Amino acid sequence: MRKSSKPIKERIPDFLDYCEVEKGLSNNTQRNYQRYLKKFEVWLQKKNKQDLKPHELTNDDIWNYRLFLSRTPAEHGKLLSKLTQNYYLIALRALLAYFVAKDISALPPAKVTLPKDTEEARTIKFLDLDQIERLLNSPTSQPASQPASPTELRDKTILETFFSTGMRIAELVSLNREQFDSIEDKPFDSTQGKQDFELGIIGKGNRPRTVYFSERALEWLKKYLKTRRDKEKALFINYRSRTQEDNRLTARSIERIIKKYAVKAGVPFFTTPHTLRHSYATDLLSQGVDLRAIQEFLGHKNIMTTQLYTHVTNKRLRDIHRQFHSGKNLK
């Protein structure tokens, strides 16, 4: 192991290059690492340790950084959640792993420990089917005499796409119109059973997978595409943009759209694009779909990630048992 002559903060760009070239991580993951490590740089600055080198980082530094995270307010004045704190610590651990890979003297990554389990980390937030139906219908719930606008059709299609495919928000943002050229102006052929559509995408970690559009989602997608008179490459665009640049909707814009319709539909305020992904997986699991199949649908690298959803169905089974087989009817 060699001692680095460069401070930790100057090694972070090298780490991000390593993530791209050698680890093959997605641009979104790289941006997240950069954002999370920015917090560590802030801590170094506050402690007047901006010139700290990798081999000078101590266990006490790690502990003090964890205290800093636990006492740092988030955007709305509340403290960072335990789960969010973990994201910052995971990024720091990845940086230390990079030092190990490059034979740079530093603390072992294992020195950055995470809570083994927290209630928040194990809680999957999802909507039931009634709530899903209200949310999906909210963009086009006006009277029949008032046809949906292009924006409402776009938003309806976004919601239907999320629930039909279980896509991550970054995957949906990256969709292009040309991927759907084969569906435009082509009616369904019920005699051939052609009532859905499958699409190959590149997901998290550059892993390819297939996502499936239901007949319902596909019909709305076709209606939306018929309103497009522009030549934009992106599937979902920002109609209000006045620039000549790419009008592709951003992840933040889509999050705001989902939140807007969650309020309108009267569903829980925690609803986000990822909530729809959780709802998609939970619905499949509750219908008896094999966990391995759900892993493929979601694009999870590790089955352990998919197994988080069993907490939901296990609780549901327990509630059913209590209601119908509690022994109360025995004499």
Side-chain angles (χ1 to χ4, degrees):
M1 290 285 186
R2 57 188 175 85
K3 292 184 177 180
S4 171
S5 59
K6 294 168 63 175
I8 293 175
K9 67 176 185 178
E10 293 182 18
R11 283 286 181 184
I12 291 176
D14 299 334
F15 163 67
L16 296 173
D17 289 341
Y18 168 80
C19 289
E20 176 185 4
V21 177
E22 297 194 34
K23 299 290 286 185
L25 300 182
S26 68
N27 290 337
N28 192 52
T29 301
Q30 294 171 52
R31 284 193 296 269
N32 285 338
Y33 274 151
Q34 186 175 31
R35 179 162 59 91
Y36 293 137
L37 289 172
K38 194 70 179 175
K39 184 78 74 178
F40 185 62
E41 292 184 55
V42 169
W43 178 80
L44 289 173
Q45 186 74 32
K46 281 181 174 290
K47 295 297 182 180
N48 199 27
K49 293 187 175 220
Q50 56 268 34
D51 295 324
L52 194 74
K53 297 178 177 61
H55 63 274
E56 296 172 337
L57 186 69
T58 66
N59 287 324
D60 286 342
D61 290 326
I62 300 297
W63 174 249
N64 288 327
Y65 179 55
R66 294 185 67 167
L67 288 177
F68 168 75
L69 290 175
S70 69
R71 296 167 183 173
T72 297
E75 291 181 4
H76 303 293
K78 297 181 180 179
L79 296 178
L80 291 176
S81 69
K82 294 293 184 185
L83 195 58
T84 302
Q85 291 176 44
N86 279 355
Y87 292 146
Y88 289 104
L89 294 172
I90 288 169
L92 179 57
R93 192 161 63 180
L95 178 63
L96 295 180
Y98 159 73
F99 292 147
V100 171
K102 293 300 180 182
D103 292 324
I104 296 172
S105 181
L107 283 174
K111 292 294 184 181
V112 182
T113 58
L114 305 175
K116 290 184 181 295
D117 193 19
T118 64
E119 188 63 31
E120 182 179 10
R122 290 187 289 110
T123 300
I124 297 293
K125 294 181 178 180
F126 67 99
L127 305 180
D128 61 33
L129 289 182
D130 178 64
Q131 292 170 326
I132 285 289
E133 192 67 34
R134 298 207 314 268
L135 179 63
L136 296 185
N137 289 335
S138 57
T140 53
S141 59
Q142 68 272 13
S145 60
Q146 300 177 20
S149 68
T151 298
E152 289 167 334
L153 281 174
R154 178 203 66 189
D155 296 347
K156 168 74 170 174
T157 306
I158 288 172
L159 289 166
E160 293 283 355
T161 299
F162 269 130
F163 187 62
S164 176
T165 65
M167 281 187 180
R168 299 178 178 91
I169 188 169
E171 295 165 349
L172 184 134
V173 166
S174 66
L175 292 175
N176 292 321
R177 287 173 70 179
E178 63 184 18
Q179 294 173 277
F180 301 89
D181 285 345
S182 63
I183 72 166
E184 291 193 70
D185 301 320
K186 290 186 178 180
F188 287 112
D189 184 354
S190 58
T191 62
Q192 298 297 319
K194 186 62 175 178
Q195 298 180 329
D196 53 22
F197 176 72
E198 59 187 65
L199 180 71
I201 65 170
I202 302 298
K204 187 175 182 180
N206 289 323
R207 291 188 295 275
R209 81 174 191 280
T210 301
V211 294
Y212 300 88
F213 289 76
S214 65
E215 179 177 355
R216 170 173 165 155
L218 195 52
E219 283 285 13
W220 282 105
L221 185 58
K222 290 167 67 176
K223 289 178 183 178
Y224 163 63
L225 287 172
K226 286 180 180 179
T227 69
R228 293 283 296 274
R229 299 291 181 264
D230 56 85
K231 295 183 179 180
E232 292 285 344
K233 178 181 179 181
L235 178 61
F236 296 116
I237 61 171
N238 182 357
Y239 287 114
R240 297 181 180 180
S241 177
R242 297 180 180 179
T243 69
Q244 298 300 314
E245 299 175 359
D246 185 7
N247 288 336
R248 186 184 301 272
L249 275 179
T250 64
R252 185 72 188 106
S253 295
I254 291 178
E255 287 171 349
R256 285 195 289 264
I257 288 169
I258 302 300
K259 192 66 66 178
K260 167 188 170 182
Y261 291 111
V263 172
K264 182 179 178 181
V267 301
F269 188 71
F270 61 67
T271 303
T272 65
H274 219 65
T275 307
L276 291 176
R277 180 170 159 87
H278 290 327
S279 303
Y280 162 86
T282 303
D283 182 52
L284 287 173
L285 196 58
S286 65
Q287 298 296 329
V289 177
D290 179 76
L291 201 62
R292 287 286 181 185
I294 295 174
Q295 179 188 6
E296 293 294 326
F297 283 138
L298 293 174
H300 285 161
K301 183 178 181 180
N302 194 324
I303 190 65
M304 295 298 291
T305 307
T306 317
Q307 283 177 337
L308 287 173
Y309 294 100
T310 60
H311 290 292
V312 176
T313 52
N314 287 348
K315 180 182 183 301
R316 183 173 296 177
L317 290 173
R318 184 175 68 245
D319 292 343
I320 291 172
H321 186 275
R322 285 175 178 170
Q323 182 178 356
F324 296 103
H325 200 69
S326 63
K328 292 179 179 180
N329 295 328
L330 294 177
K331 294 181 180 181

